[in-house]
Amino acid sequence: MLDKNKPGPGHSSEGRDLSGRTIVITGGAGFLGSHLCRHHLEAGARVLCVDNLSTGRLRNIEDLLEGHDFKFVKHDIIDPYEPGEAIDYIFNMACPASPPKYQLHPIRTFDTSVRGSHNLLELAMRRGARILQASTSEVYGDPAVSPQAEDYRGNVVTMGPRACYDEGKRAAETLFYEYNHLHKVDTRVARIFNTYGPAMDPEDGRVVSNFIVQALQGHDLTVYGDGTQTRSFCYVDDLVAGLMALMYTEGDLADPVNLGNPVEFTILELADLVLAETGSTSALKHLDLPKDDPKIRRPNIEHARDALGWEPHVPLIEGIRRTIPYFAAEIAQSAKAQV
Ligand SMILES: NC(=O)c1ccc[n+]([C@@H]2O[C@H](COP(=O)([O-])OP(=O)(O)OC[C@H]3O[C@@H](n4cnc5c(N)ncnc54)[C@H](O)[C@@H]3O)[C@@H](O)[C@H]2O)c1
């Protein structure tokens, strides 16, 4: 049974009726993928959640496992996947997204984006399914312009600790482009900017989860560099609404679409906000800036506004307020498990 109290949509799937449709969601046990699974079940769809559980957690979907319309398939998309039933849509969300996680197995990260996307594009072609790629703002690298629009070609490096992720995602976009042009596969590419919210792994090393968990535990908040670098943070419900709009809007939408919140904050502003909202007295601890860390990051979302009628609605302070109780519960749960 779908547990409405679990971290999940928190808002409706916008009245969309997807009954009779079967959706493959790769990376469905991860942060964004698990929200997508919930939204689709709410909309009446059948969901095939395909995940190798490398960074995802069964915990994110355990309340869904008994439902008739939900099937979990433990599978690595680097190997071809052949569902034993008809499918209509594929969301390719599989890939570790947090730098410490994707840098652990860089060649596997690259292969997940490239060979994984290739396998899924072949599947989409064989089955006549529409397919959406979770691409990323990292295709812009350390951008020399702000905000970043889709026609900005980026400032990226092929060699360096972030390249396995950034270049893998760029190559995946090329595959999506070619399958659309050569094979007429119905493709969509979402360039996702930093997103946060319930269902994030407290230990996966992203800035919002790090800060909230550190603040709640009374530890120093780790700020890389001087903290003046900027990010734009999108609340997960807004992002998922954007992904759904991109997948289910009819028309020629094969070109990449930025999805993110255009309001920009410095990392120091985020730290202050988290301290204020958690009531924590933690101090800030500055560490060296990781190599190739982007200094600015802000989406131009005009294309999404025009083509999809989509824009985010949840301000950072509101999203942080909705996210803190989730991490507090996660911390309490792991403390209980250790007793
Ligand atoms: N969250 C963000 O801010 C953000 C920003 C830009 C892009 N994205 C993209 O969105 C997607 C989802 O990100 P997320 O934040 O939910 O990350 P996540 O790490 O929580 O989820 C990724 C999921 O993919 C699974 N996975 C990884 N490699 C796999 C493989 N080879 N085969 C099968 N499953 C595999 C993991 O187990 C996990 O469940 C990723 O593709 C990521 O690159 C996310």
mmCIF file of all heavy atoms in Angstrom, residues 228-261:
data_model
loop_
_atom_site.group_PDB
_atom_site.id
_atom_site.type_symbol
_atom_site.label_atom_id
_atom_site.label_comp_id
_atom_site.label_asym_id
_atom_site.label_seq_id
_atom_site.Cartn_x
_atom_site.Cartn_y
_atom_site.Cartn_z
ATOM 1 N N THR A 228 31.523 31.710 -0.798
ATOM 2 C CA THR A 228 30.861 32.734 -1.631
ATOM 3 C C THR A 228 30.408 32.146 -2.975
ATOM 4 O O THR A 228 29.765 32.830 -3.757
ATOM 5 C CB THR A 228 31.796 33.939 -1.903
ATOM 6 O OG1 THR A 228 32.996 33.441 -2.500
ATOM 7 C CG2 THR A 228 32.125 34.689 -0.630
ATOM 8 N N GLN A 229 30.779 30.882 -3.234
ATOM 9 C CA GLN A 229 30.278 30.260 -4.462
ATOM 10 C C GLN A 229 28.750 30.116 -4.364
ATOM 11 O O GLN A 229 28.213 29.982 -3.261
ATOM 12 C CB GLN A 229 30.963 28.899 -4.724
ATOM 13 C CG GLN A 229 30.653 27.775 -3.759
ATOM 14 C CD GLN A 229 31.555 27.759 -2.530
ATOM 15 O OE1 GLN A 229 31.990 28.786 -2.045
ATOM 16 N NE2 GLN A 229 31.783 26.578 -1.976
ATOM 17 N N THR A 230 28.074 30.172 -5.499
ATOM 18 C CA THR A 230 26.608 30.172 -5.452
ATOM 19 C C THR A 230 26.025 28.878 -6.031
ATOM 20 O O THR A 230 26.649 28.220 -6.871
ATOM 21 C CB THR A 230 26.017 31.355 -6.248
ATOM 22 O OG1 THR A 230 26.305 31.160 -7.638
ATOM 23 C CG2 THR A 230 26.565 32.684 -5.761
ATOM 24 N N ARG A 231 24.819 28.589 -5.563
ATOM 25 C CA ARG A 231 24.019 27.487 -6.116
ATOM 26 C C ARG A 231 22.560 27.941 -6.110
ATOM 27 O O ARG A 231 22.177 28.822 -5.340
ATOM 28 C CB ARG A 231 24.132 26.216 -5.259
ATOM 29 C CG ARG A 231 25.525 25.599 -5.186
ATOM 30 C CD ARG A 231 25.959 24.993 -6.524
ATOM 31 N NE ARG A 231 27.240 24.318 -6.414
ATOM 32 C CZ ARG A 231 28.425 24.904 -6.602
ATOM 33 N NH1 ARG A 231 28.487 26.184 -6.890
ATOM 34 N NH2 ARG A 231 29.539 24.221 -6.503
ATOM 35 N N SER A 232 21.762 27.293 -6.947
ATOM 36 C CA SER A 232 20.318 27.547 -6.968
ATOM 37 C C SER A 232 19.658 26.247 -6.553
ATOM 38 O O SER A 232 19.888 25.226 -7.181
ATOM 39 C CB SER A 232 19.881 27.924 -8.373
ATOM 40 O OG SER A 232 20.677 28.973 -8.847
ATOM 41 N N PHE A 233 18.874 26.282 -5.507
ATOM 42 C CA PHE A 233 18.345 25.050 -4.928
ATOM 43 C C PHE A 233 16.864 24.900 -5.237
ATOM 44 O O PHE A 233 16.066 25.784 -4.935
ATOM 45 C CB PHE A 233 18.557 25.049 -3.413
ATOM 46 C CG PHE A 233 20.002 25.144 -3.028
ATOM 47 C CD1 PHE A 233 20.534 26.351 -2.593
ATOM 48 C CD2 PHE A 233 20.837 24.040 -3.117
ATOM 49 C CE1 PHE A 233 21.869 26.446 -2.238
ATOM 50 C CE2 PHE A 233 22.184 24.132 -2.768
ATOM 51 C CZ PHE A 233 22.697 25.334 -2.328
ATOM 52 N N CYS A 234 16.505 23.757 -5.789
ATOM 53 C CA CYS A 234 15.109 23.503 -6.169
ATOM 54 C C CYS A 234 14.519 22.460 -5.228
ATOM 55 O O CYS A 234 15.147 21.409 -4.989
ATOM 56 C CB CYS A 234 15.083 22.993 -7.616
ATOM 57 S SG CYS A 234 13.431 22.886 -8.313
ATOM 58 N N TYR A 235 13.334 22.720 -4.714
ATOM 59 C CA TYR A 235 12.683 21.730 -3.851
ATOM 60 C C TYR A 235 12.170 20.570 -4.717
ATOM 61 O O TYR A 235 11.689 20.777 -5.837
ATOM 62 C CB TYR A 235 11.532 22.376 -3.061
ATOM 63 C CG TYR A 235 10.962 21.430 -2.045
ATOM 64 C CD1 TYR A 235 11.738 20.978 -0.983
ATOM 65 C CD2 TYR A 235 9.665 20.956 -2.162
ATOM 66 C CE1 TYR A 235 11.240 20.079 -0.054
ATOM 67 C CE2 TYR A 235 9.139 20.065 -1.235
ATOM 68 C CZ TYR A 235 9.940 19.621 -0.180
ATOM 69 O OH TYR A 235 9.449 18.724 0.717
ATOM 70 N N VAL A 236 12.255 19.365 -4.159
ATOM 71 C CA VAL A 236 12.013 18.170 -4.966
ATOM 72 C C VAL A 236 10.618 18.147 -5.613
ATOM 73 O O VAL A 236 10.472 17.708 -6.754
ATOM 74 C CB VAL A 236 12.273 16.889 -4.126
ATOM 75 C CG1 VAL A 236 11.341 16.786 -2.946
ATOM 76 C CG2 VAL A 236 12.232 15.655 -4.995
ATOM 77 N N ASP A 237 9.598 18.620 -4.908
ATOM 78 C CA ASP A 237 8.247 18.583 -5.507
ATOM 79 C C ASP A 237 8.184 19.418 -6.781
ATOM 80 O O ASP A 237 7.539 19.033 -7.763
ATOM 81 C CB ASP A 237 7.203 19.104 -4.524
ATOM 82 C CG ASP A 237 6.919 18.108 -3.410
ATOM 83 O OD1 ASP A 237 7.478 16.996 -3.446
ATOM 84 O OD2 ASP A 237 6.124 18.452 -2.513
ATOM 85 N N ASP A 238 8.843 20.569 -6.749
ATOM 86 C CA ASP A 238 8.877 21.418 -7.949
ATOM 87 C C ASP A 238 9.600 20.702 -9.083
ATOM 88 O O ASP A 238 9.158 20.716 -10.233
ATOM 89 C CB ASP A 238 9.617 22.729 -7.650
ATOM 90 C CG ASP A 238 8.752 23.746 -6.917
ATOM 91 O OD1 ASP A 238 7.510 23.675 -7.048
ATOM 92 O OD2 ASP A 238 9.323 24.613 -6.229
ATOM 93 N N LEU A 239 10.728 20.084 -8.751
ATOM 94 C CA LEU A 239 11.531 19.439 -9.793
ATOM 95 C C LEU A 239 10.751 18.290 -10.423
ATOM 96 O O LEU A 239 10.718 18.142 -11.651
ATOM 97 C CB LEU A 239 12.838 18.946 -9.168
ATOM 98 C CG LEU A 239 14.006 18.571 -10.074
ATOM 99 C CD1 LEU A 239 13.942 17.172 -10.609
ATOM 100 C CD2 LEU A 239 14.204 19.563 -11.225
ATOM 101 N N VAL A 240 10.113 17.484 -9.577
ATOM 102 C CA VAL A 240 9.378 16.330 -10.097
ATOM 103 C C VAL A 240 8.208 16.806 -10.973
ATOM 104 O O VAL A 240 7.930 16.215 -12.025
ATOM 105 C CB VAL A 240 8.921 15.413 -8.935
ATOM 106 C CG1 VAL A 240 7.928 14.379 -9.416
ATOM 107 C CG2 VAL A 240 10.139 14.723 -8.331
ATOM 108 N N ALA A 241 7.567 17.892 -10.573
ATOM 109 C CA ALA A 241 6.494 18.447 -11.425
ATOM 110 C C ALA A 241 7.066 18.839 -12.791
ATOM 111 O O ALA A 241 6.428 18.640 -13.835
ATOM 112 C CB ALA A 241 5.849 19.651 -10.738
ATOM 113 N N GLY A 242 8.289 19.368 -12.802
ATOM 114 C CA GLY A 242 8.940 19.738 -14.059
ATOM 115 C C GLY A 242 9.262 18.517 -14.914
ATOM 116 O O GLY A 242 9.062 18.530 -16.135
ATOM 117 N N LEU A 243 9.758 17.461 -14.273
ATOM 118 C CA LEU A 243 10.071 16.236 -15.022
ATOM 119 C C LEU A 243 8.801 15.635 -15.629
ATOM 120 O O LEU A 243 8.797 15.185 -16.785
ATOM 121 C CB LEU A 243 10.719 15.196 -14.097
ATOM 122 C CG LEU A 243 12.137 15.487 -13.607
ATOM 123 C CD1 LEU A 243 12.571 14.449 -12.572
ATOM 124 C CD2 LEU A 243 13.122 15.492 -14.780
ATOM 125 N N MET A 244 7.723 15.639 -14.838
ATOM 126 C CA MET A 244 6.449 15.094 -15.339
ATOM 127 C C MET A 244 5.941 15.951 -16.500
ATOM 128 O O MET A 244 5.462 15.432 -17.512
ATOM 129 C CB MET A 244 5.393 15.058 -14.221
ATOM 130 C CG MET A 244 5.762 14.251 -12.997
ATOM 131 S SD MET A 244 5.482 12.480 -13.106
ATOM 132 C CE MET A 244 3.725 12.337 -12.870
ATOM 133 N N ALA A 245 6.051 17.273 -16.361
ATOM 134 C CA ALA A 245 5.590 18.159 -17.439
ATOM 135 C C ALA A 245 6.397 17.915 -18.706
ATOM 136 O O ALA A 245 5.847 17.860 -19.819
ATOM 137 C CB ALA A 245 5.702 19.622 -17.006
ATOM 138 N N LEU A 246 7.699 17.730 -18.550
ATOM 139 C CA LEU A 246 8.543 17.511 -19.729
ATOM 140 C C LEU A 246 8.196 16.184 -20.400
ATOM 141 O O LEU A 246 8.122 16.094 -21.623
ATOM 142 C CB LEU A 246 10.026 17.551 -19.324
ATOM 143 C CG LEU A 246 11.044 17.322 -20.433
ATOM 144 C CD1 LEU A 246 10.861 18.316 -21.585
ATOM 145 C CD2 LEU A 246 12.472 17.439 -19.894
ATOM 146 N N MET A 247 7.972 15.157 -19.611
ATOM 147 C CA MET A 247 7.650 13.852 -20.197
ATOM 148 C C MET A 247 6.267 13.851 -20.856
ATOM 149 O O MET A 247 6.087 13.291 -21.936
ATOM 150 C CB MET A 247 7.704 12.777 -19.111
ATOM 151 C CG MET A 247 7.396 11.373 -19.611
ATOM 152 S SD MET A 247 8.634 10.784 -20.805
ATOM 153 C CE MET A 247 9.449 9.512 -19.832
ATOM 154 N N TYR A 248 5.286 14.489 -20.225
ATOM 155 C CA TYR A 248 3.897 14.291 -20.675
ATOM 156 C C TYR A 248 3.326 15.455 -21.477
ATOM 157 O O TYR A 248 2.147 15.450 -21.807
ATOM 158 C CB TYR A 248 3.017 13.924 -19.472
ATOM 159 C CG TYR A 248 3.500 12.634 -18.842
ATOM 160 C CD1 TYR A 248 4.017 12.596 -17.551
ATOM 161 C CD2 TYR A 248 3.506 11.452 -19.577
ATOM 162 C CE1 TYR A 248 4.500 11.427 -16.993
ATOM 163 C CE2 TYR A 248 3.993 10.273 -19.034
ATOM 164 C CZ TYR A 248 4.490 10.264 -17.748
ATOM 165 O OH TYR A 248 4.981 9.091 -17.215
ATOM 166 N N THR A 249 4.155 16.452 -21.800
ATOM 167 C CA THR A 249 3.702 17.506 -22.706
ATOM 168 C C THR A 249 3.950 17.022 -24.130
ATOM 169 O O THR A 249 5.034 16.522 -24.437
ATOM 170 C CB THR A 249 4.474 18.821 -22.430
ATOM 171 O OG1 THR A 249 4.218 19.198 -21.070
ATOM 172 C CG2 THR A 249 4.022 19.936 -23.363
ATOM 173 N N GLU A 250 2.930 17.118 -24.976
ATOM 174 C CA GLU A 250 3.088 16.650 -26.355
ATOM 175 C C GLU A 250 3.825 17.708 -27.177
ATOM 176 O O GLU A 250 3.808 18.887 -26.844
ATOM 177 C CB GLU A 250 1.711 16.357 -26.973
ATOM 178 C CG GLU A 250 0.980 15.206 -26.294
ATOM 179 C CD GLU A 250 1.792 13.899 -26.247
ATOM 180 O OE1 GLU A 250 2.496 13.589 -27.226
ATOM 181 O OE2 GLU A 250 1.727 13.202 -25.214
ATOM 182 N N GLY A 251 4.452 17.260 -28.257
ATOM 183 C CA GLY A 251 5.139 18.194 -29.143
ATOM 184 C C GLY A 251 6.598 17.816 -29.294
ATOM 185 O O GLY A 251 7.061 16.847 -28.683
ATOM 186 N N ASP A 252 7.296 18.606 -30.102
ATOM 187 C CA ASP A 252 8.696 18.310 -30.337
ATOM 188 C C ASP A 252 9.527 18.931 -29.213
ATOM 189 O O ASP A 252 9.821 20.118 -29.223
ATOM 190 C CB ASP A 252 9.114 18.882 -31.704
ATOM 191 C CG ASP A 252 10.585 18.611 -31.985
ATOM 192 O OD1 ASP A 252 11.206 17.849 -31.209
ATOM 193 O OD2 ASP A 252 11.115 19.156 -32.965
ATOM 194 N N LEU A 253 9.878 18.121 -28.247
ATOM 195 C CA LEU A 253 10.593 18.614 -27.064
ATOM 196 C C LEU A 253 11.905 17.861 -26.873
ATOM 197 O O LEU A 253 12.311 17.578 -25.754
ATOM 198 C CB LEU A 253 9.702 18.468 -25.832
ATOM 199 C CG LEU A 253 8.573 19.498 -25.736
ATOM 200 C CD1 LEU A 253 7.509 19.060 -24.745
ATOM 201 C CD2 LEU A 253 9.131 20.854 -25.320
ATOM 202 N N ALA A 254 12.561 17.530 -27.982
ATOM 203 C CA ALA A 254 13.782 16.724 -27.885
ATOM 204 C C ALA A 254 14.985 17.541 -27.411
ATOM 205 O O ALA A 254 15.950 16.986 -26.892
ATOM 206 C CB ALA A 254 14.086 16.072 -29.233
ATOM 207 N N ASP A 255 14.937 18.859 -27.578
ATOM 208 C CA ASP A 255 16.086 19.667 -27.146
ATOM 209 C C ASP A 255 16.136 19.745 -25.618
ATOM 210 O O ASP A 255 15.100 19.695 -24.959
ATOM 211 C CB ASP A 255 15.980 21.085 -27.716
ATOM 212 C CG ASP A 255 16.248 21.109 -29.215
ATOM 213 O OD1 ASP A 255 16.845 20.134 -29.715
ATOM 214 O OD2 ASP A 255 15.832 22.072 -29.875
ATOM 215 N N PRO A 256 17.331 19.907 -25.045
ATOM 216 C CA PRO A 256 17.446 19.945 -23.580
ATOM 217 C C PRO A 256 16.644 21.088 -22.959
ATOM 218 O O PRO A 256 16.507 22.165 -23.555
ATOM 219 C CB PRO A 256 18.937 20.175 -23.346
ATOM 220 C CG PRO A 256 19.610 19.757 -24.596
ATOM 221 C CD PRO A 256 18.644 19.999 -25.713
ATOM 222 N N VAL A 257 16.112 20.825 -21.772
ATOM 223 C CA VAL A 257 15.346 21.828 -21.024
ATOM 224 C C VAL A 257 15.938 21.945 -19.617
ATOM 225 O O VAL A 257 16.040 20.945 -18.903
ATOM 226 C CB VAL A 257 13.853 21.412 -20.906
ATOM 227 C CG1 VAL A 257 13.073 22.461 -20.125
ATOM 228 C CG2 VAL A 257 13.224 21.199 -22.276
ATOM 229 N N ASN A 258 16.331 23.161 -19.235
ATOM 230 C CA ASN A 258 16.792 23.393 -17.856
ATOM 231 C C ASN A 258 15.628 23.269 -16.885
ATOM 232 O O ASN A 258 14.570 23.882 -17.103
ATOM 233 C CB ASN A 258 17.334 24.819 -17.702
ATOM 234 C CG ASN A 258 18.703 25.015 -18.310
ATOM 235 O OD1 ASN A 258 19.422 24.054 -18.573
ATOM 236 N ND2 ASN A 258 19.073 26.275 -18.519
ATOM 237 N N LEU A 259 15.833 22.513 -15.796
ATOM 238 C CA LEU A 259 14.840 22.465 -14.719
ATOM 239 C C LEU A 259 15.556 22.771 -13.411
ATOM 240 O O LEU A 259 16.488 22.054 -13.020
ATOM 241 C CB LEU A 259 14.187 21.072 -14.634
ATOM 242 C CG LEU A 259 13.329 20.619 -15.812
ATOM 243 C CD1 LEU A 259 12.798 19.201 -15.552
ATOM 244 C CD2 LEU A 259 12.141 21.568 -16.055
ATOM 245 N N GLY A 260 15.158 23.829 -12.766
ATOM 246 C CA GLY A 260 15.782 24.199 -11.508
ATOM 247 C C GLY A 260 15.170 25.487 -11.018
ATOM 248 O O GLY A 260 14.313 26.079 -11.683
ATOM 249 N N ASN A 261 15.609 25.895 -9.855
ATOM 250 C CA ASN A 261 15.089 27.136 -9.282
ATOM 251 C C ASN A 261 16.077 28.267 -9.574
ATOM 252 O O ASN A 261 17.246 28.160 -9.198
ATOM 253 C CB ASN A 261 14.902 26.962 -7.766
ATOM 254 C CG ASN A 261 14.094 28.090 -7.168
ATOM 255 O OD1 ASN A 261 14.281 29.256 -7.530
ATOM 256 N ND2 ASN A 261 13.189 27.748 -6.274
#
